[in-house]
Amino acid sequence: MTSSTSIIAQLFCSRRIWVSIMASLGLGILYAMRACLSVAIVKMTNKISTNNDTECGNHVTTNRSGEFDWDENLQSNVLSAFFYGYAFFQIPGGLLADKIGGKNTIFIATLGSSILCLVTPISAHINVYFLIFIRIVEGSIEAPFYPGACVVLNEWCTSFERTAFVSIGLSGAYLGTIISQPITGYLSSLQFNGGWPLPFYLFGTLGILWSIAWLCLVTENPQNNNFVSEKEKILLRKNFDINKTKSSIPWLKMLTHFPLYASIAGIVGISLIFYLVLNMLPTYLSEVLGTEITSNGFLNALPFVMMYLGLISAGILTDLCIKMFNSARTVRIAFFLIGAIGSSLLINFIEMTGCHAFSVVLLISFSLFFIGTSFAQIGPNLIELYPLYSGIAYGIMNTVSNIQGIFSPYFVDIFTNGHIHSRRYWQYMFTCGSIILIISGLLFALLLRVVPPEWVFENKENDKVVGS
């Protein structure tokens, strides 16, 4: 155990951890730019309606005097537009990351997305369909960030700290959502400049500043970084030597390699739950439970605090368990199934909480904690399987993941079926999502492998992975 904890301690005392932290901050800003619309749209739209569903014991009247008269279908189109570009540019983003390197790919993705975030309010005032177009383009430009992050993180970590290192780097997505929800809720309630445009200006500006810092402070690999000690460079040199040998992408071999579909199957269930909460929790709190937008933002943030904690803690514990039990495959399966089962059970208890908003959010929060436990296994597994092609592998997986972001608003429309104020109809949707998550977990366990196939290495060298 001492040896295991010392590995984690060395990681947190190293220079390389700052690369992971920087990636996390950048991803956090991107997610803040992405997620703020799901809260701001409640303030942006003009709506007068009455909740005649007596399940909550009273009649909730919604009277919003926003600037835009968009019906629920049009709002769904606005919210899902980002994912049309984001989903279908994941694979090109992976190709770009493997071609020009993760550092430059991340810089382009963040700077471009930040500029488009700044012009979002102007786009909305011009025309709703122009806003939809801008969101599609923003999603397209942001798409390469995740594949680029996988390429950079792969260069900077060892196999014994991979899960913790990658989890920290990718946890920024939830950190950004945590920050953006209450800030957007607060800023949108202000009278200055209409309120709702303010979060777009704030997060867009932060994105530009971070892009400059990333370009100046981070290098593609540790060998070119003057602030990294020679001892640390030697520790990470194996990554550098292997990654120089990559050749053209073996598309057929990769797409017919069944372990790739372990991550794809796993992310289907994870993403379905995540995007339902990300895009639709504000609507649920507002339309079903009658919670005001000012408190909406804080309640919306709590589930992502828990997912952030779940991802980080599972990342660290996974590496410790792999070292202790010497079987990466068994440990990853165990953590994923614990997360999937735990999340599914909690989601199915939502209807039992009645109309208590805090109880609902608390259940969803612990559900996302377990989702974070499962998600911690996905990225590291792709890196250990395809060390030379981690960018494109993550791009393939993330394409499937984010297609669900497109359809999650419509998923709600289908299940609520005109009864958007009814808890019962929402519970049908949550139950269906939990069943899909369990099936995803079983497929992940069946297909998972952790040792890269021989064809990954052009020079036939084998990457050293603990356990099988």
Side-chain angles (χ1 to χ4, degrees):
M1 183 69 176
T2 303
S3 175
S4 300
T5 53
S6 66
I7 291 173
I8 300 299
Q10 289 173 15
L11 169 62
F12 283 96
C13 294
S14 67
R15 285 282 185 178
R16 61 188 178 276
I17 192 62
W18 291 103
V19 176
S20 186
I21 291 173
M22 277 291 289
S24 181
L25 291 174
L27 191 57
I29 293 171
L30 282 179
Y31 262 69
M33 291 189 286
R34 178 199 304 194
C36 66
L37 182 60
S38 64
V39 175
I41 199 169
V42 179
K43 191 69 174 179
M44 293 166 64
T45 52
N46 180 22
K47 183 174 182 179
I48 300 175
S49 65
T50 301
N51 179 358
N52 291 315
D53 194 327
T54 59
E55 291 180 78
C56 287
N58 57 8
H59 297 276
V60 177
T61 299
T62 303
N63 188 351
R64 299 200 302 260
S65 55
E67 298 181 48
F68 307 106
D69 188 19
W70 301 339
D71 61 25
E72 291 173 2
N73 287 333
L74 193 53
Q75 290 181 50
S76 295
N77 290 332
V78 171
L79 288 174
S80 63
F82 174 92
F83 296 98
Y84 283 98
Y86 191 73
F88 295 110
F89 275 82
Q90 288 293 319
I91 293 177
L95 291 170
L96 182 67
D98 285 331
K99 181 71 173 178
I100 69 172
K103 175 190 173 180
N104 293 331
T105 300
I106 287 173
F107 172 74
I108 294 169
T110 308
L111 182 63
S113 298
S114 301
I115 293 172
L116 289 175
C117 181
L118 288 173
V119 304
T120 296
I122 299 174
S123 305
H125 284 111
I126 292 174
N127 186 276
V128 64
Y129 296 104
F130 185 64
L131 171 62
I132 290 173
F133 170 75
I134 289 295
R135 291 286 291 180
I136 292 173
V137 176
E138 183 179 348
S140 303
I141 294 176
E142 185 180 320
F145 189 100
Y146 262 116
C150 276
V151 171
V152 170
L153 296 176
N154 185 32
E155 295 274 5
W156 281 85
C157 72
T158 68
S159 61
F160 292 106
E161 63 193 23
R162 181 178 289 127
T163 313
F165 195 83
V166 175
S167 295
I168 293 169
L170 301 186
S171 66
Y174 316 108
L175 185 64
T177 307
I178 292 165
I179 294 171
S180 72
Q181 299 278 9
I183 291 177
T184 302
Y186 172 72
L187 293 178
S188 297
S189 68
L190 299 178
Q191 297 300 316
F192 178 74
N193 197 33
W196 67 264
L198 299 179
F200 295 98
Y201 298 145
L202 172 63
F203 297 130
T205 301
L206 289 176
I208 292 174
L209 294 176
W210 181 90
S211 300
I212 297 171
W214 173 265
L215 189 65
C216 296
L217 299 177
V218 175
T219 57
E220 185 69 27
N221 57 65
Q223 309 306 320
N224 297 329
N225 194 305
N226 295 327
F227 297 102
V228 178
S229 67
E230 285 301 318
K231 180 180 179 180
E232 195 168 356
K233 287 182 178 180
I234 292 172
L235 180 66
L236 297 170
R237 185 162 290 152
K238 182 174 183 291
N239 290 345
F240 180 68
D241 291 339
I242 290 177
N243 287 341
K244 289 190 301 183
T245 65
K246 69 172 65 177
S247 58
S248 59
I249 297 171
W251 284 104
L252 182 60
K253 291 179 179 179
M254 180 175 287
L255 293 175
T256 55
H257 189 229
F258 285 109
L260 173 65
Y261 296 93
S263 293
I264 291 175
I267 205 64
V268 167
I270 291 173
S271 295
L272 178 61
I273 303 300
F274 175 75
Y275 282 122
L276 285 177
V277 175
L278 176 67
N279 286 334
M280 304 316 300
L281 184 57
T283 303
Y284 185 81
L285 293 175
S286 177
E287 301 292 343
V288 179
L289 304 182
T291 304
E292 295 296 328
I293 180 64
T294 50
S295 61
N296 228 355
F298 291 98
L299 287 176
N300 286 340
L302 184 58
F304 302 101
V305 172
M306 296 301 293
M307 186 161 184
Y308 176 80
L309 294 175
L311 179 60
I312 295 295
S313 60
I316 295 172
L317 288 174
T318 297
D319 282 338
L320 292 176
C321 289
I322 289 174
K323 180 65 176 176
M324 289 174 60
F325 300 111
N326 197 36
S327 179
R329 182 172 184 267
T330 301
V331 171
R332 294 206 188 285
I333 289 174
F335 272 91
F336 194 99
L337 289 179
I338 289 171
I341 294 170
S343 179
S344 298
L345 289 174
L346 290 171
I347 287 175
N348 278 288
F349 290 146
I350 290 177
E351 190 175 15
M352 298 172 59
T353 62
C355 297
H356 302 288
F358 183 74
S359 298
V360 171
V361 173
L362 198 62
L363 274 178
I364 292 176
S365 298
F366 279 100
S367 174
L368 284 198
F369 178 89
F370 284 108
I371 286 288
T373 301
S374 297
F375 183 66
Q377 314 309 316
I378 299 289
N381 178 242
L382 289 174
I383 290 175
E384 65 197 0
L385 269 182
Y386 311 109
L388 303 185
Y389 310 106
S390 56
I392 187 61
Y394 206 98
I396 293 170
M397 183 274 296
N398 224 21
T399 298
V400 177
S401 169
N402 287 283
I403 286 176
Q404 294 175 95
I406 298 173
F407 294 109
S408 61
Y410 306 111
F411 195 67
V412 174
D413 291 341
I414 291 170
F415 274 90
T416 56
N417 193 28
H419 301 275
I420 196 169
H421 301 298
S422 171
R423 291 186 301 111
R424 185 173 66 256
Y425 284 88
W426 280 78
Q427 186 59 48
Y428 295 155
M429 178 192 67
F430 291 138
T431 300
C432 180
S434 68
I435 292 172
I436 293 173
L437 179 57
I438 290 293
I439 294 173
S440 296
L442 295 175
L443 289 173
F444 179 85
L446 178 66
L447 297 172
L448 182 70
R449 299 293 184 273
V450 297
V451 177
E454 291 185 1
W455 52 260
V456 166
F457 302 102
E458 185 182 41
N459 59 1
K460 302 301 181 183
E461 291 181 8
N462 287 316
D463 190 26
K464 191 174 183 179
V465 179
V466 180
S468 59

